[in-house]
Amino acid sequence: MSNISTDQVWGQNYDGIEIKSDERVHSEIAKVLQRLFPDRTSAISVLDIASGHGALTKRVQDLYPNWSFQINDLEHTNPISQVTTSTIDLNSKFGSSLPKFDVVLCVEVIEHLENPWNLLRELRTIVKPGAIVILSTPNSDSLLDRIEYLKHGHAFYFGERGFINSGGHITPVPDWLFRKIAAVSGFEVSELNSVSTKPFIRKYMLPAQLLLTLYLKILRREFNNRSINIYILKCL
């Protein structure tokens, strides 16, 4: 079992700005960007979609001071200066209202939307050739989620509790479906990164976790310990 607690992953902040997701997601995305863009002097245009209070934008801005940033801040809660702000409705055909970007960050967004197909199609219209999209969403295929399905009938981050605690999770997008949507929309999933379910596994879940593990191994079915999927998409 991991020593990480839920208190260490939720309710955190970056430079005094509240992180409206699991803190490890922002940390992992920062690592991915540093690996993909080792030259910190380059000029890159970035869109941070549904940026929350701006914690991820600020983190990336600190790493890449020469990058230009635009945020979609529908609720006008982003305090960061030196960024362009838009207020697009992500359930709409929003692509025509935006320029094209080198990098799009779409972190913990798709599960809040009515139509994930629309999101990916519209993202494809706002990226430059060779651009990347980094998109994260809860993983509804993990052992933790399978236990939650058995007990509650829905994945860990969903259901009425998930809807209230998350600010409106309404659309689980399992890995197989996300890959279909991405391919149809003109993207290739080049990487899948993740954060772990471990802080959310409780002792009472261990018998069910063991039985599920044995069951899936007997069936030779894939299973994993990812809590949140972080996809790196490239344009086809």
Side-chain angles (χ1 to χ4, degrees), residues 69-217:
F69 293 84
Q70 179 163 330
I71 58 174
N72 179 48
D73 181 20
L74 196 60
E75 298 177 354
H76 304 284
T77 59
N78 195 314
I80 302 173
S81 60
Q82 298 179 337
V83 297
T84 303
T85 302
S86 60
T87 55
I88 56 174
D89 178 1
L90 297 176
N91 288 307
S92 69
K93 300 294 184 182
F94 61 84
S96 60
S97 64
L98 292 170
K100 294 189 182 293
F101 297 90
D102 299 299
V103 175
V104 175
L105 305 176
C106 188
V107 179
E108 304 304 282
V109 173
I110 194 170
E111 64 275 8
H112 292 266
L113 301 181
E114 299 165 1
N115 187 344
W117 297 82
N118 178 71
L119 175 67
L120 269 293
R121 283 195 300 265
E122 294 302 300
L123 289 182
R124 184 63 180 82
T125 69
I126 63 169
V127 290
K128 298 177 182 178
I132 67 163
V133 173
I134 300 179
L135 187 151
S136 73
T137 191
N139 169 37
S140 58
D141 301 315
S142 72
L143 282 173
L144 170 64
D145 288 272
R146 293 169 192 262
I147 293 170
E148 290 290 299
Y149 271 114
L150 288 173
K151 186 175 180 182
H152 300 292
H154 56 73
F156 178 70
Y157 287 101
F158 293 88
E160 186 172 1
R161 179 189 63 183
F163 180 85
I164 293 170
N165 293 337
S166 68
H169 283 188
I170 60 173
T171 307
V173 186
D175 180 68
W176 74 266
L177 178 58
F178 181 82
R179 291 175 183 273
K180 292 286 186 184
I181 299 171
V184 169
S185 302
F187 289 106
E188 174 190 13
V189 177
S190 63
E191 292 183 32
L192 172 58
N193 297 276
S194 64
V195 299
S196 170
T197 64
K198 287 184 178 179
F200 313 113
I201 291 287
R202 299 291 179 260
K203 289 182 179 179
Y204 74 84
M205 295 180 178
L206 294 178
Q209 184 181 24
L210 177 60
L211 289 173
L212 269 174
T213 301
L214 292 173
Y215 175 72
L216 292 169
K217 282 185 175 180

